[in-house]
Amino acid sequence: MISLPTLYGLTGVLLAGIGLLALVLRAHAIRKLVGLNIMGSGIFLLMIALARRAPGGAPDPVPHAMVLTGIVVAVSVTAVALLLLHQIASSGGDAASTETDRPAP
Amino acid sequence: MPWFDLGLAAMLLWFAGHAVGARRLHASATVYICFGLLLTLAWVRLDAPDLALAEAALGAGVTGALLLKAIASLGSRPVPLLVPAHDAWRVHEPLGGRLLGAIALAAVLGVVLVGALGMAVVSLPGEAVGLRPEVEARLEASGVRHPVTAVLLNFRGFDTLLEIVVIWIAGVVCWTFPRRRELVLRPDLQLTSLVRFVDPILLVTAAYLLWAGSRAPGGAFQAGVLLGAGAALRLMAGEVLPKAGVIPRFLLSLGALVFLTVGVAAVLTGLPFLGYGPGDAGTWLLVIEVGGTLSIGYALMLLFQRGRGAGA
Amino acid sequence: MTTVLDWASGALILAGVGFFGAAVVGLLRLPGVLCRLHALTKADNVSLGLIAIGLALRADSVQIVLRLGLIWLLVMAAGATTCSLIARSAVAARPRKQAP
């Protein structure tokens, strides 16, 4: 018999692990971004799971506000990162590396 | 035994693993959208309806759409509206020569992170009061009746101010990029028809969420995301993009400006920064929320536009 | 009377889930983008409709019934448009002189 907070807390931790692995092991920048987002989602899940331990039904609202801020910031970061990625790609760089110099034709 | 939650947790892990491990970028983004929707269900199960609204709109919708758009435009040839699944990808991904070192590093980091956090989760007490009593004690004075909105805009208002500034920065960064030709899409009949049907509903729902945020799940961010999504839909349907004139700049900065003005005005009347007078808090919060909604919607539209508009 | 409603709503929801399952099987087993889209759009319309009606039978007020109807309508509109867009894109990207 496992409680909801523990279950979702452990799920969040594992998601953070998956995201971290993706961030380190995958070479393509967009996959790293997806991994970063999943890592963030995992940590958010952990925080909200822990917030639900409040007795009496209603959860603790402070982590909810923090995670809401976190979701919005994560989306902004992803959007700007994709902007920069597109800029790198359109000026001749390879999205799997940070080199922007084009090799001599 | 919470079977539904066990199944949901297993699916979350499965989809996350698939999202980062898929061979095609397109599959990665699509599975990430599904993951976001499952996470929305998880928020509902954890009694976090505000987060469910935000996650469905931002995490699944906006992030997914941005990813798909970026993947589509990484290829250099003109692409149809959506890149078909069997198209070849220009950017391939080498894992690099230092394969073993990378795997070892990842394994160590992963084990440390998961192990430490996992042990912490398991060893925490099953019940923790948290800050809910403090929030409930001051809820009357905060000006709203919904605890999360009270925390977001009143008790932790400074964090929200910084969050709105982050969104503003994202919008400004978008404007520093040069104009792209492919941004002006051909007007598409089907999307235009969809827009005509969906836009009024989005506007009304956004206004409702903004208003209802004071006593029920909702608020400025969820409403702003709906507005931004409607604007993004219009952009994809081929509508003309706005120029980077005075009014767009004003709209983008409105949220941050209003918030700062309210905060500074409080200082001028003797209260601390972002302090609200007794009884006034509700009105000020609504003003801040309206500004925030417009700014967030506009910033999201800019981020879909990815570059300066026509004529900038 | 309540038990009849419960049975009816349960049966409708199960039927809806069944249609979803059929759509997933179609997604996995049917060849080609167009056939898969055909299977998936059925899921949007029929199974979501069955589930919505099943839930509406359990609803407490007319407001919830109307909301469920609106949700179904919006999902159908979005699903139909997306399906059509994907299909158009798949057809456009198809190499020439190939049987559909």
Side-chain angles (χ1 to χ4, degrees):
Chain A
M1 188 67 199
I2 189 170
S3 70
L4 278 195
T6 318
L7 172 65
Y8 281 112
L10 289 175
T11 311
V13 169
L14 286 171
L15 281 176
I18 292 176
L20 180 65
L21 283 178
L23 196 55
V24 172
L25 284 180
R26 303 298 283 194
H28 197 281
I30 288 191
R31 284 201 205 282
K32 284 190 198 276
L33 265 179
V34 172
L36 190 66
N37 271 313
I38 290 179
M39 191 170 170
S41 300
I43 301 293
F44 296 154
L45 195 54
L46 173 63
M47 288 176 66
I48 301 301
L50 293 180
R52 203 181 168 281
R53 296 176 304 149
D60 184 2
V62 177
H64 284 31
M66 290 165 70
V67 167
L68 191 55
T69 308
I71 292 178
V72 174
V73 169
V75 171
S76 307
V77 165
T78 306
V80 173
L82 289 171
L83 271 173
L84 291 171
L85 202 62
H86 191 275
Q87 191 64 20
I88 292 175
S90 66
S91 61
D94 182 359
S97 75
T98 48
E99 301 296 324
T100 48
D101 297 330
R102 233 177 298 216
Chain B
M1 201 64 182
W3 292 114
F4 180 75
D5 300 290
L6 278 172
L8 185 60
M11 280 209 291
L12 277 172
L13 291 171
W14 174 257
F15 273 67
H18 201 83
V20 303
R23 198 171 310 142
R24 291 197 316 255
L25 279 176
H26 202 224
S28 208
T30 315
V31 173
Y32 180 74
I33 297 178
C34 302
F35 169 78
L37 290 176
L38 284 178
L39 200 55
T40 311
L41 279 181
W43 295 140
V44 172
R45 289 298 291 168
L46 287 172
D47 298 318
D50 314 72
L51 290 179
L53 286 170
E55 178 72 40
L58 284 172
V62 170
T63 312
L66 285 173
L67 283 172
L68 285 175
K69 203 162 197 274
I71 291 171
S73 57
L74 271 189
S76 57
R77 74 204 82 162
V79 290
L81 219 50
L82 287 174
V83 182
H86 56 268
D87 203 9
W89 300 106
R90 184 176 73 106
V91 190
H92 38 265
E93 38 182 306
L95 200 43
R98 300 177 291 275
L99 183 57
L100 240 78
I103 292 183
L105 172 68
V108 166
L109 284 176
V111 164
V112 166
L113 177 73
V114 173
L117 283 178
M119 281 200 302
V121 167
V122 172
S123 64
L124 282 173
E127 274 202 357
V129 180
L131 287 169
R132 201 185 73 202
E134 281 88 340
V135 171
E136 280 173 357
R138 292 166 182 70
L139 197 57
E140 277 294 314
S142 71
V144 293
R145 276 180 285 156
H146 187 53
V148 177
T149 312
V151 173
L152 201 55
L153 288 171
N154 196 331
F155 306 142
R156 302 294 310 177
F158 189 58
D159 299 340
T160 311
L161 167 63
L162 294 179
E163 173 188 6
I164 294 185
V165 170
V166 164
I167 295 169
W168 177 80
I169 290 176
V172 166
V173 167
C174 182
W175 260 332
T176 63
F177 286 105
R179 196 185 97 192
R180 296 185 211 297
R181 266 162 297 132
E182 90 230 24
L183 284 175
V184 187
L185 299 167
R186 333 175 282 282
D188 186 87
L189 184 60
Q190 269 181 317
L191 275 177
T192 313
S193 320
L194 182 69
V195 162
R196 266 194 218 134
F197 171 60
V198 161
D199 234 13
I201 301 178
L202 279 178
L203 280 174
V204 171
T205 314
Y208 167 72
L209 278 178
L210 176 62
W211 182 251
S214 62
R215 48 182 174 73
F221 292 104
Q222 290 87 344
V225 173
L226 282 186
L227 289 183
L233 207 54
R234 279 178 176 268
L235 284 177
M236 283 192 267
E239 288 216 4
V240 181
L241 307 162
K243 306 179 190 174
V246 173
I247 293 194
R249 287 189 166 92
F250 180 66
L251 271 180
L252 179 66
S253 321
L254 189 63
L257 277 178
V258 166
F259 217 138
L260 275 173
T261 313
V262 171
V264 170
V267 173
L268 294 177
T269 54
L271 298 161
F273 180 61
L274 284 182
Y276 307 109
D280 285 344
T283 327
W284 287 127
L285 288 187
L286 189 60
V287 168
I288 291 173
E289 282 196 292
V290 169
T293 306
L294 291 173
S295 274
I296 293 165
Y298 200 79
L300 281 177
M301 178 169 75
L302 281 184
L303 292 173
F304 269 98
Q305 167 184 324
R306 294 190 307 120
R308 281 188 228 127
Chain C
M1 194 57 201
T2 343
T3 1
V4 174
L5 275 179
D6 280 343
W7 277 107
S9 87
L12 283 170
I13 293 178
L14 275 177
V17 171
F19 268 97
F20 264 125
V24 169
V25 171
L27 175 64
L28 293 175
R29 301 293 299 176
L30 286 176
V33 179
L34 295 178
C35 294
R36 292 174 182 173
L37 282 173
H38 186 84
L40 286 176
T41 341
K42 296 299 160 286
D44 258 348
N45 300 347
V46 178
S47 38
L48 192 62
L50 287 173
I51 293 180
I53 297 176
L55 287 175
L57 288 177
R58 292 171 172 271
D60 296 326
S61 64
V62 184
Q63 199 198 57
I64 297 185
V65 175
L66 289 176
R67 243 187 253 178
L68 284 170
L70 184 62
I71 291 173
W72 182 26
L73 207 59
L74 284 172
V75 173
M76 271 204 292
T81 312
T82 316
C83 164
S84 179
L85 289 173
I86 297 179
R88 270 200 292 158
S89 150
V91 167
R94 176 180 296 157
R96 306 254 171 213
K97 290 188 221 133
Q98 195 180 65

